[in-house]
Amino acid sequence: MRHSPAVSSPTLADQLTGSRRQRGSGTAQNALHALQCQVLEAVAASQPLDRVAHLLCLHVEQLAPGVVCSVLTVDSEGRLHPLAGPSLPDAYSRALDGTQIGPDVGSCGSAAYYGRPVEVRDIDVDPRWVPFKAMPLAAGLRTCWSSPIKGQDSRVVGTFAFYYRTRRAPSALERRIVEACVPLCALAIERAEVWSRLEQANQRFEVVLSNMSQGVCFFDGARNLIMANQRYSEIYNLPPNSIGPGTSLQEIVDLRITAGSGPAMAADQYLDWRVTLKGSDRPTDTVVELANGRVISIHRQPMPDSGSVATHEDITERRRAEARIIYMARHDALTGLANRLLFRERMEQALALSGRGQECAVICLDLDHFKPVNDTFGHAVGDRLLQSAAERLQTCVREVDTVTRLGGDEFAVLLVGVDRPESAGELAQRLVRTLSAPFDLDGHRVVVGASAGIAVTPHDGTSPDKLLRSADTALYRAKLDERGTYRFFEPDMDARLQARVALELELRQAVQNHEFELVYQPLFNLATNAICGFEALLRWHHPTRGPLFPNEFIPMAEETGVIVPLGAWVLRRACAEAASWPTSVKVAVNLSAAQFKNKALVKTVEEALVASGISATRLELEITESVLLSNTAKTLATLHALRDLGVSISMDDFGTGYSSLSYLRGFPFDKIKIDQSFVRDISEREDSIAIIRAVVGLGSSLGMATTAEGVETPQQLARLRREGCTEAQGYLFSPPVSAEDARLMVGSS
């Protein structure tokens, strides 16, 4: 059975609008966070289970295009029942209804049977799908990944499945979606089961009092007990057989006080309140808190003889569950801080008081170098870092201020009652200093640091969106200028940010529009005085700004991830153009640290070699020391895999980084490239000569070639020859030239 109810909640696309769209990182995490909040709010609002599941599936399919989402329930007899699947064919959903779970019952039936995820990448050939594959294949569904939904008692209560129209494995984002949505489904299904049980209890009440889940009691007009069921005594912890017909209300209250289940108010106040109720001829519903912390819902129905009948229901767990859902809908699950929804409510309240001497400020904070912590120590330590950071932030603010986690490693503080902007700056400085102190996380000593941006009313914004966007822009500026500091928002920052966002968009379009070109600078062998190779250098022919050099766009490409497809293009193009050169001439291609984070780097290099047909020995990959700064073991493994292909590996800009000698010991590079800053001063500074002499000697002893960069004068070249340098490049020989000119310089193959 499928339902397609109209959902009035804002769509996930709506959640993606606003200031956060301007940022390049964290968008998916924010959208997933918005999905969780919307589902929790629907559950907290007691929406029907099928409507909640339908809402969840629709939002998941918006967040992960190409996914067909499905939620099934499993009844007590182990049969599957469709709950939601808005994009599945009706006939397929009907066919699933009542299917018995088992070890070979498709993905969902098998996942429910084994109690673990089942990933089928080809429905057509997987034996578990043999009896069921005709309908999904006819609907164009080729792959199905299903995860069991388990209740608090580990009982499988349903399945959460992704279908795909292509044969593929789930992406990292899709796995995160499942990790977030399965607990939401469990919460919604179990809550629906609780409500279902309560409704059944109400029906039994009309059949026989002894089967009721509520306590029931009848009192006469003199407030003496006529009858009470066993549940009534259980609710109030009354001793067995301690009450019966004729027991007065006063005696029952005394027994309850002795048992610790008396009313939270004084006994005489409670009795006076009951007298007031006796004079009423209308039904009353009351919630009473007991001294032991339990919460009892009492429904009293007056009787014609001035007596009454009342039902007593212990709603403590329901209240706690509702409070927990309401809390979860407004707080971050990891840190317990206010989430974006609650933070916005607090901002609206603060802004309502703005202009009456009660100005407010927003401070946006971002942990520096958080990703290396995740990559090095794992997500568990990363989560612990975020929790510890949240605890530190809370110790720095007043009770009237609000700390929130916006998502990822981003936090914000709402400061109210700001009498002068400087006080916000002082707090920001204290927050940055606090977060910069070392963290001790499960035996790991971690130092990350932080940066902050500040926006103050009314000049920086008078609406929540504008104020938060201004603070976010100031944070971005702080990170560009100098990490570990803070900046106040300035109007021109917004214009600069818009320009950067525009450049990022243009950069992505440039990759698609083929606006890039490679030029080649020759490398000369000083022993043969002949060209031995070319270094491929990237240029961007911007349609309006003209030629752009790498330092104008490569940092952004690395930050946004565009460097991965762009770097792959450079490898393919450089190898393809080198195919027309003599086989003795090599081509050198620079690799960035960001490319080494891509698991497919080795495959990308191999594909470029195969497509061009050139020998791997003709390709030289240049890296800087920054490549080895994070996750050294993983990076070294990648370098060895590249070396196994047959390519050469060069250390570029040697001597300008952090610990060059340790890197030479950790990996046998084929070549060391001496940075041009040492070559430039070779005729004037003895220390530059000493460094070059040491590097050349080191390379010779380790069996590595040495290339001097930036050679511009005959005097520099002569000195480099005397010192024993094996190769040189620079404007003395040739500036970078086009691919055609490079071919003419060495002749065709």
Side-chain angles (χ1 to χ4, degrees):
M1 181 184 305
R2 297 178 64 227
H3 298 269
S4 299
V7 179
S8 60
S9 301
T11 66
L12 191 59
D14 296 331
Q15 297 290 326
L16 291 173
T17 60
S19 61
R20 302 303 301 161
R21 196 191 308 183
Q22 299 183 36
R23 299 175 56 83
S25 63
T27 300
Q29 183 63 33
N30 293 337
L32 183 57
H33 185 65
L35 183 153
Q36 292 173 307
C37 289
Q38 285 205 352
V39 173
L40 287 171
E41 287 181 334
V43 174
S46 300
Q47 292 286 335
L49 178 60
D50 58 346
R51 183 171 299 178
V52 173
H54 185 83
L55 171 72
L56 176 65
C57 289
L58 288 178
H59 283 353
V60 165
E61 291 176 358
Q62 290 179 4
L63 181 58
V67 164
V68 176
C69 185
S70 166
V71 181
L72 304 178
T73 59
V74 178
D75 63 24
S76 59
E77 297 180 355
R79 291 186 174 87
L80 298 172
H81 300 285
L83 182 60
S87 298
L88 287 175
D90 289 330
Y92 181 50
S93 295
R94 289 194 298 270
L96 286 176
D97 196 15
T99 301
Q100 184 72 41
I101 66 173
D104 297 303
V105 183
S107 299
C108 296
S110 301
Y113 180 83
Y114 288 113
R116 62 175 183 267
V118 171
E119 183 177 325
V120 173
R121 299 194 181 183
D122 193 340
I123 292 175
D124 190 25
V125 300
D126 194 279
R128 288 166 292 195
W129 276 89
V130 170
F132 314 97
K133 66 181 182 179
M135 295 189 72
L137 291 177
L141 305 176
R142 295 292 181 267
T143 302
C144 182
W145 173 36
S146 181
S147 297
I149 301 169
K150 296 183 179 180
Q152 293 183 351
D153 57 356
S154 297
R155 175 175 56 90
V156 175
V157 297
T159 61
F160 184 78
F162 281 177
Y163 291 85
Y164 305 93
R165 301 188 186 281
T166 58
R167 298 178 181 88
R168 68 177 181 87
S171 67
L173 171 61
E174 291 162 357
R175 294 187 186 275
R176 286 166 53 202
I177 292 173
V178 171
E179 290 175 1
C181 290
V182 167
L184 292 176
C185 291
L187 177 65
I189 291 173
E190 288 199 311
R191 178 180 171 83
E193 290 179 347
V194 169
W195 281 104
S196 177
R197 286 194 294 270
L198 291 175
E199 291 175 357
Q200 292 174 8
N202 287 331
Q203 293 172 359
R204 288 195 298 270
F205 168 73
E206 298 177 1
V207 178
V208 58
L209 290 176
S210 60
N211 291 332
M212 290 183 60
S213 62
Q214 300 100 331
V216 180
C217 58
F218 290 83
F219 283 91
D220 60 22
R223 294 192 295 175
N224 294 320
L225 184 66
I226 300 174
M227 185 279 295
N229 65 357
Q230 181 62 30
R231 181 58 184 150
Y232 179 85
S233 296
E234 292 173 353
I235 288 175
Y236 294 107
N237 297 322
L238 299 179
N241 304 318
S242 60
I243 63 173
T247 306
S248 70
L249 177 61
Q250 176 69 63
E251 291 173 325
I252 294 176
V253 172
D254 291 341
L255 287 170
R256 286 171 50 191
I257 292 174
T258 302
S261 60
M265 67 181 74
D268 55 347
Q269 290 179 314
Y270 180 76
L271 291 171
D272 290 342
W273 169 68
R274 292 298 300 266
V275 170
T276 303
L277 289 181
K278 179 185 176 184
S280 173
D281 59 354
R282 295 183 178 181
T284 56
D285 290 286
T286 311
V287 175
V288 177
E289 294 187 10
L290 305 185
N292 60 7
R294 308 298 292 180
V295 181
I296 309 300
S297 174
I298 303 174
H299 175 75
R300 178 183 178 275
Q301 178 70 45
M303 303 295 287
D305 59 356
S306 298
S308 63
V309 58
T311 58
H312 295 241
E313 181 182 3
D314 188 340
I315 62 170
T316 307
E317 298 307 322
R318 186 199 305 174
R319 279 292 183 91
R320 290 174 181 172
E322 291 172 349
R324 180 170 173 267
I325 291 172
I326 293 172
Y327 180 88
M328 290 175 62
R330 284 173 167 72
H331 290 81
D332 176 56
L334 178 65
T335 63
L337 296 177
N339 63 11
R340 295 178 69 90
L341 177 63
L342 180 56
F343 192 67
R344 184 182 181 87
E345 291 176 357
R346 298 279 176 84
M347 289 179 68
E348 290 173 345
Q349 294 168 5
L351 288 169
L353 299 175
S354 180
R356 307 176 190 173
Q358 296 288 323
E359 298 300 340
C360 61
V362 170
I363 304 173
C364 281
L365 300 111
D366 190 297
L367 298 183
D368 297 333
H369 313 300
F370 173 72
K371 191 175 187 304
V373 174
N374 259 346
D375 294 341
T376 304
F377 302 111
H379 289 285
V381 174
D383 288 347
R384 186 71 192 94
L385 172 59
L386 293 174
Q387 292 169 338
S388 299
E391 293 167 2
R392 290 189 183 184
L393 290 174
Q394 288 182 297
T395 63
C396 295
V397 302
R398 305 164 299 173
E399 289 187 7
V400 295
D401 301 326
T402 303
V403 183
T404 183
R405 179 182 174 219
L406 296 174
D409 62 342
E410 300 172 28
F411 299 86
V413 176
L414 173 63
L415 188 64
V416 299
V418 177
D419 54 352
R420 56 191 181 89
E422 290 79 7
S423 61
E426 293 165 1
L427 175 60
Q429 188 175 37
R430 187 161 65 251
L431 295 173
V432 169
R433 186 169 57 248
T434 298
L435 294 175
S436 299
F439 291 85
D440 187 1
L441 306 171
D442 302 328
H444 301 287
R445 186 177 175 84
V446 175
V447 179
V448 289
S451 304
I454 308 169
V456 184
T457 58
H459 303 293
D460 301 337
T462 56
S463 70
D465 290 339
K466 175 59 178 173
L467 198 61
L468 190 60
R469 186 165 62 249
S470 297
D472 199 33
T473 301
L475 166 62
Y476 180 77
R477 186 64 193 183
K479 294 177 69 174
L480 282 181
D481 290 347
E482 178 186 5
R483 291 179 181 266
T485 187
Y486 68 91
R487 291 287 183 270
F488 281 94
F489 175 76
E490 298 173 4
D492 64 333
M493 287 182 179
D494 198 36
R496 290 198 296 268
L497 178 59
Q498 293 295 336
R500 179 179 173 81
V501 171
L503 182 61
E504 178 184 342
L505 179 61
E506 292 169 352
L507 180 60
R508 294 183 185 278
Q509 293 173 339
V511 175
Q512 299 176 355
N513 297 339
H514 308 292
E515 296 174 7
F516 294 97
E517 178 192 20
L518 291 182
V519 294
Y520 298 88
Q521 187 169 38
L523 289 84
F524 276 77
N525 186 306
L526 297 185
T528 63
N529 290 323
I531 295 176
C532 59
F534 289 91
E535 179 180 359
L537 302 171
L538 187 61
R539 298 291 186 266
W540 178 9
H541 291 283
H542 194 282
T544 58
R545 306 184 191 188
L548 298 180
F549 288 85
N551 63 326
E552 298 179 78
F553 60 87
I554 289 296
M556 177 179 290
E558 293 176 330
E559 180 182 335
T560 59
V562 176
I563 192 65
V564 173
L566 181 56
W569 177 86
V570 170
L571 279 166
R572 292 193 302 270
R573 177 59 64 89
C575 290
E577 292 178 340
S580 65
W581 305 340
T583 56
S584 60
V585 180
K586 292 187 173 184
V587 61
V589 176
N590 291 277
L591 296 180
S592 78
Q595 288 175 272
F596 275 80
K597 298 176 183 177
N598 180 21
K599 297 179 180 179
L601 175 59
V602 177
K603 183 179 180 182
T604 300
V605 173
E606 186 176 15
E607 290 175 346
L609 291 170
V610 171
S612 65
I614 70 170
S615 169
T617 58
R618 294 182 59 199
L619 177 60
E620 185 175 292
L621 301 176
E622 298 186 5
I623 68 169
T624 62
E625 297 168 39
S626 62
V627 169
L628 296 167
L629 285 180
S630 64
N631 207 348
T632 305
K634 180 179 178 182
T635 302
L636 286 176
T638 303
L639 287 172
H640 280 290
L642 291 170
R643 169 68 73 79
D644 290 343
L645 294 178
V647 305
S648 303
I649 309 293
S650 300
M651 171 69 81
D652 197 10
D653 299 337
F654 184 78
T656 61
Y658 296 86
S659 53
S660 304
L661 295 180
S662 66
Y663 297 142
L664 293 182
R665 183 178 64 178
F667 182 79
F669 289 91
D670 298 283
K671 180 189 292 185
I672 304 172
K673 300 194 73 173
I674 303 172
D675 187 69
Q676 61 181 342
S677 61
F678 301 116
V679 175
R680 186 184 307 115
D681 299 332
I682 194 172
S683 302
E684 303 173 0
R685 297 182 55 170
E686 290 298 324
D687 56 353
S688 292
I689 298 174
I691 291 173
I692 291 175
R693 183 177 300 132
V695 172
V696 172
L698 181 65
S700 177
S701 63
L702 294 176
M704 302 177 186
T706 50
T707 299
E709 297 180 298
V711 181
E712 298 181 352
T713 67
Q715 293 79 11
Q716 293 172 344
L717 177 61
R719 191 57 186 264
L720 290 168
R721 286 183 184 276
R722 290 199 300 271
E723 297 300 336
C725 203
T726 56
E727 295 178 3
Q729 72 179 105
Y731 276 73
L732 176 64
F733 305 102
S734 171
V737 298
S738 67
E740 176 63 20
D741 288 340
R743 188 183 64 80
L744 294 174
M745 291 176 72
V746 294
S748 68
S749 60

